[in-house]
Amino acid sequence: MTSKLEQLLLLMLCLLSWSLATKTVSAAEVLVQSPSKNHSIRFNLIDGVPHYSVSYQDTVILADSRLSLDIDGDPRAKQFMVAGKRSASHRGNWVPVVGSKASYPDAYDEQVVELREASGMKRRLDLTFRAYDEGVAFRYTLPEQAGLADFTIKSENSEFQFTDDHNVYWDDYPQAKYSKVRLSEMGDRGIRPLLVECGAQFVAIAEAGSLEHYAPMMLNRSGENRLVTRFRRGTVSGTSPMSTPWRVVMVADTPGTLVENHYLLQNLSPPSVLGDTSWIRPGKVWRSSLTTAGAKAIIDYAAANNYQYVHYDAGWYGPERDPKSNPLTVIDGIDMAEVIRYGEEHGIGLICYINKIAMSGYDLDKTFQTYKEWGIRGVKMGFVDWQSQADMEFLYSAIQKAGENQLVVDIHDNFRLTGIERTYPHLLTVEGILGNEEHAEKGNPPQNVLTTSFARMIAGAGDYTPCYLNGRVVSRSFQLALGVVFYSPLQYLHWYDQANQYAGKSFPELEFWKEMPTTWDDSKVLHGAIGSYMTVARKSGDRWFVGTIVNEARSLDIPLDFLGPGTYTAKIYAEDPKDKKLVRIESREVTSSDTLTATMSAGSGQAIWISANPID
């Protein structure tokens, strides 16, 4: 009897021990699910080291992935314990100053895990995890504490442990050609956003929020099927409290959905710092030759064809690579006051190029104040570096100074958005893209364009600089469609064209660009396959603009179920089968139950303008 009682007590003690152990483990676990429950991110401590994993529906996207910051002066190995947790949630939407939709949904659930070192200085680290219906995100926060008043982060080590050797659309430079390779085959480092095919799902790794006092994120290969974050250059210095930018994992069933959901990066960014945004004017731009007469000719065309800006590019204040070129001077061929006066008289603003050589070599406050006094409406910043914390601090300062002087901004060369256009809505577009400046036969064939239209555009607006009459154009119906496919509130068109090329000639199909706006009430990727084809539909008021581009010759059915009730007029701008540089125009009545078929040869496209009102 005593033996049976002892056995029963022993069993009860074992069960109690197991129960306590289970509670100890579960206390260190955190699961955050999106409102729809489709996306989830799970935190756990494994041997005292923070890890996370990501799932989409019932599929594990990222297995246990380590999280750590390498802070100068820290011992290499650190173990943590959970000191507390905080939860939050949000359900709502917000209205952008300019955007691909009239409003963006913004709904998430959040957990903040408060960590404390298990030994040593007992320093604190907070990890914030959010789950949206568009994806998940996490970031580090170093709370204010005596042991970390000032610090230097030598590296951020956020891992992305994939479950297989997936295909990835890889580039290592913002204006590089994409390569489709396995994770094991990609170069040692890549840049964001990075698009990965994970079986039936498509995954994007991105960076969101302010980088004003941080270094841009690289994605380096580190172990089997694993990527890890690294700073592009140098270290990061700071003072607690400090939060890092967000690391974002977006998952969707189609790559087009990832493009539609680019606003997630803006949701993770601070609201606008500008009180008055009424002066921010999106629109279409045409670059002028560096002459007064050239600018006036383009202003005449722009005023007659619903464009908003004329642009002076590099050279208007002197040789662009000469540090002695003063951005407050104007070359002899340009009467700046007359061009601005003439433009304002016709409702056309002037945007002027300025590069980092001039921005850093001259008083930028004075320069931008002078531009405002002259009547310049915007600046295109060139030679932008994006490697270090210092680069970001300089760039953000320039963006802020432009806003203070009511100058809209286009950033060229090596920068991609992280959602900061929400914070600085006068930042209308950026390059960071292999655009139409590159010939198809010299590195930017249609297949790469159709990779870029997915992989790059996950980051938001892209200044693709389409051409129309330039010799590099193979299919003009393809060019027309680019204005819809590549979202950019500041849409540079006719990049290598000048107004005299159009004098005395008729291009009736250019009414598509004339009618096309650059910001939208709604945007949908109707279908597409990376590197192969894509159809995008965008709405403005009661009108829709549809752009299709293809790599291989094909016919595509375009269902019009996005239309509202009633009858519409569809004007179709299609490739002339006899000459890809000619465009045939056809009009027909359509309803939401109709389907249009676009037949295109290799490397061509089609554009459609649909209106609830009759179209001439």
Side-chain angles (χ1 to χ4, degrees):
M1 185 71 175
T2 302
S3 177
K4 288 184 177 180
L5 181 60
E6 287 175 348
Q7 289 176 4
L8 180 60
L9 289 172
L10 181 61
L11 177 60
M12 291 175 67
L13 285 171
C14 289
L15 289 171
L16 178 61
S17 298
W18 178 84
S19 176
L20 290 172
T22 302
K23 289 180 179 177
T24 301
V25 172
S26 64
E29 288 185 348
V30 171
L31 174 66
V32 187
Q33 292 183 299
S34 65
S36 68
K37 311 301 182 187
N38 281 336
H39 291 82
S40 64
I41 183 167
R42 185 186 299 271
F43 162 84
N44 198 7
L45 286 177
I46 301 177
D47 296 327
V49 178
H51 286 70
Y52 78 100
S53 59
V54 174
S55 295
Y56 175 73
Q57 297 175 348
D58 297 324
T59 302
V60 175
I61 301 299
L62 297 175
D64 286 327
S65 304
R66 190 185 331 232
L67 298 172
S68 69
L69 296 176
D70 185 1
I71 298 177
D72 194 21
D74 271 3
R76 182 168 294 276
K78 294 184 289 296
Q79 291 186 326
F80 289 89
M81 58 181 292
V82 175
K85 303 173 188 175
R86 306 190 306 272
S87 62
S89 63
H90 177 73
R91 302 289 186 272
N93 55 63
W94 60 279
V95 176
V97 176
V98 297
S100 62
K101 296 178 182 288
S103 67
Y104 292 137
D106 185 12
Y108 63 83
D109 286 309
E110 175 185 283
Q111 284 277 354
V112 179
V113 181
E114 301 168 351
L115 299 176
R116 186 182 296 274
E117 288 176 332
S119 60
M121 298 179 67
K122 306 284 187 179
R123 286 175 291 194
R124 292 178 290 139
L125 172 67
D126 291 350
L127 295 173
T128 303
F129 300 94
R130 280 189 186 176
Y132 294 78
D133 286 341
E134 297 84 0
V136 301
F138 63 86
R139 70 175 175 181
Y140 304 81
T141 297
L142 292 168
E144 186 173 2
Q145 53 195 295
L148 279 176
D150 300 292
F151 54 83
T152 298
I153 303 174
K154 293 193 293 184
S155 67
E156 177 195 321
N157 314 305
S158 300
E159 293 181 351
F160 302 86
Q161 180 63 63
F162 288 94
T163 59
D164 203 350
D165 192 13
H166 298 303
N167 284 322
V168 57
Y169 295 89
W170 170 72
D171 63 341
D172 62 353
Y173 180 71
Q175 296 179 73
K177 183 179 178 180
Y178 282 96
S179 299
K180 181 180 179 180
V181 296
R182 295 285 182 181
L183 282 165
S184 60
E185 299 168 336
M186 67 177 274
D188 290 338
R189 62 184 194 175
I191 58 173
R192 43 74 172 164
L194 189 69
L195 178 57
V196 185
E197 289 184 10
C198 295
Q201 285 78 38
F202 294 85
V203 178
I205 301 175
E207 182 172 32
S210 176
L211 280 87
E212 183 176 0
H213 301 294
Y214 212 73
M217 175 182 82
M218 298 290 292
L219 291 163
N220 291 13
R221 284 200 297 123
S222 175
E224 187 176 359
N225 305 329
R226 184 191 308 132
L227 303 175
V228 64
T229 59
R230 289 289 185 266
F231 300 141
R232 186 156 160 73
R233 188 178 70 194
T235 60
V236 168
S237 298
T239 302
S240 63
M242 186 206 77
S243 293
T244 70
W246 295 90
R247 289 16 187 148
V248 186
V249 182
M250 303 167 66
V251 191
D253 295 320
T254 68
T257 301
L258 295 177
V259 176
E260 288 183 16
N261 293 346
H262 72 87
Y263 59 83
L264 176 59
L265 307 188
Q266 295 186 57
N267 289 351
L268 289 159
S269 300
S272 173
V273 297
L274 301 179
D276 175 23
T277 59
S278 61
W279 57 272
I280 299 174
R281 186 188 188 197
K284 291 165 286 192
V285 194
W286 191 331
R287 179 173 66 162
S288 170
S289 63
L290 299 180
T291 64
T292 302
K296 283 187 170 184
I298 287 176
I299 288 169
D300 289 339
Y301 183 97
N305 289 278
N306 193 28
Y307 284 49
Q308 287 68 43
Y309 293 101
V310 64
H311 171 74
Y312 276 143
D313 207 58
W316 71 268
Y317 58 81
E320 62 178 323
R321 299 183 184 275
D322 186 348
K324 295 181 181 179
S325 293
N326 185 339
L328 294 180
T329 62
V330 184
I331 62 173
D332 291 340
I334 297 174
D335 183 340
M336 183 65 78
E338 174 58 15
V339 169
I340 291 171
R341 182 205 66 77
Y342 192 78
E344 292 294 324
E345 182 180 277
H346 290 77
I348 306 299
L350 177 65
I351 296 174
C352 289
Y353 173 91
I354 182 172
N355 64 33
K356 190 177 179 183
I357 296 172
M359 288 192 291
S360 59
Y362 294 85
D363 184 336
L364 195 55
D365 285 296
K366 180 181 178 181
T367 299
F368 285 172
Q369 288 169 10
T370 302
Y371 289 177
K372 181 181 180 182
E373 292 168 2
W374 285 357
I376 291 174
R377 300 302 179 189
V379 288
K380 171 184 160 185
M381 301 177 183
F383 293 1
V384 171
D385 294 321
W386 69 294
Q387 299 188 69
S388 67
Q389 180 181 6
D391 291 337
M392 292 298 97
E393 289 175 341
F394 178 86
L395 179 59
Y396 273 70
S397 175
I399 293 169
Q400 291 162 7
K401 292 178 190 298
E404 291 166 4
N405 291 282
Q406 297 190 348
L407 299 169
V408 298
V409 175
D410 175 11
I411 297 175
H412 259 233
D413 301 312
N414 301 324
F415 184 71
R416 290 177 179 173
L417 291 168
T418 59
I420 62 167
E421 65 270 37
R422 179 184 186 183
T423 311
Y424 305 103
H426 62 292
L427 174 52
L428 294 180
T429 194
V430 303
E431 190 180 24
I433 196 170
L434 186 62
N436 231 162
E437 291 178 311
E438 191 66 55
H439 288 263
E441 67 273 18
K442 294 182 180 178
N444 197 25
Q447 182 180 27
N448 190 66
V449 178
L450 277 152
T451 303
T452 303
S453 61
F454 290 98
R456 161 61 181 83
M457 298 310 289
I458 294 165
D463 187 2
Y464 190 80
T465 55
C467 313
Y468 200 71
L469 293 186
N470 186 267
R472 70 195 62 209
V473 172
V474 176
S475 164
R476 289 185 183 150
S477 56
F478 183 98
Q479 297 302 107
L480 287 177
L482 293 177
V484 175
V485 170
F486 285 95
Y487 166 67
S488 182
L490 204 60
Q491 189 73 260
Y492 276 77
L493 304 170
H494 308 276
W495 182 246
Y496 286 109
D497 300 341
Q498 288 300 308
N500 60 2
Q501 296 174 265
Y502 293 78
K505 300 176 183 178
S506 177
F507 300 95
E509 69 274 14
L510 284 173
E511 69 177 342
F512 182 80
W513 278 357
K514 177 180 179 179
E515 297 295 333
M516 179 191 76
T518 63
T519 60
W520 308 94
D521 296 324
D522 198 9
S523 294
K524 300 176 182 293
V525 179
L526 301 184
H527 46 44
I530 303 168
S532 186
Y533 65 93
M534 188 179 200
T535 299
V536 180
R538 303 192 191 273
K539 181 184 181 184
S540 177
D542 61 0
R543 304 186 303 164
W544 285 87
F545 294 80
V546 183
T548 298
I549 55 175
V550 299
N551 180 39
E552 310 91 350
R554 65 172 65 238
S555 291
L556 285 173
D557 288 336
I558 302 173
L560 303 182
D561 52 4
F562 53 83
L563 297 176
T567 301
Y568 293 75
T569 301
K571 204 162 191 178
I572 303 165
Y573 305 83
E575 166 195 350
D576 187 323
K578 296 180 181 179
D579 186 345
K580 293 172 70 169
K581 289 192 175 181
L582 297 179
V583 178
R584 295 194 310 180
I585 305 174
E586 172 195 350
S587 295
R588 56 175 289 189
E589 288 190 347
V590 296
T591 68
S592 61
S593 61
D594 286 328
T595 296
L596 297 176
T597 300
T599 300
M600 296 153 287
S601 63
S604 194
Q606 185 182 99
I608 309 171
W609 167 27
I610 305 174
S611 176
N613 299 312
I615 301 175
D616 294 333

